[in-house]
Amino acid sequence: MLPQQVKVSDITDENSAQTYLNQAIMTTFCRVLDSSRLPPDVVMRLLATAIGSTYREVAAAHQDGQCPCGWRPVPDADIEALRSSLEGAAAPKIADDLHSMVIAGRA
């Protein structure tokens, strides 16, 4: 059974935003991989570069505090948080992690 697709209009919290972004990135990755015939590691590196560029642009737009959202970029801490998130998401799942276990039945 395929996971339910999340549309942008369905985003209401961090979890649904994460699901939407996961879908969008996987779709983009597959399209670029298929149309370019580049190796997967090259396309993943390009995706990482795109995330870095996005951070730089968004941080620059928030540098002067003009945005009403109130976010103030701290590049060293922000980039370390991005690096840590990438590492955590890319690392192999531990077998006893409840999130990675397959449901065996119902109680």
Side-chain angles (χ1 to χ4, degrees):
M1 179 176 185
L2 293 174
Q4 184 173 349
Q5 296 292 304
V6 175
K7 298 177 292 217
V8 72
S9 60
D10 297 332
I11 299 173
T12 57
D13 58 9
E14 192 170 332
N15 188 46
S16 57
Q18 183 67 67
T19 301
Y20 178 80
L21 288 169
N22 288 350
Q23 291 171 183
I25 290 170
M26 182 59 82
T27 299
T28 300
F29 172 81
C30 291
R31 286 179 181 161
V32 170
L33 193 66
D34 186 50
S35 65
S36 70
R37 301 292 186 203
L38 291 168
D41 61 319
V42 171
V43 178
M44 285 185 211
R45 184 175 39 81
L46 295 171
L47 282 171
T49 300
I51 295 293
S53 295
T54 300
Y55 171 80
R56 188 179 59 244
E57 288 181 37
V58 173
H62 286 80
Q63 202 62 44
D64 60 6
Q66 296 290 343
C67 182
C69 79
W71 179 58
R72 297 230 181 228
V74 181
D76 289 342
D78 297 339
I79 291 168
E80 181 54 38
L82 289 169
R83 183 179 291 122
S84 179
S85 293
L86 176 62
E87 186 176 348
K93 297 284 185 198
I94 298 171
D96 63 350
D97 179 2
L98 291 178
H99 291 292
S100 65
M101 290 183 163
V102 176
I103 298 171
R106 296 174 14 173

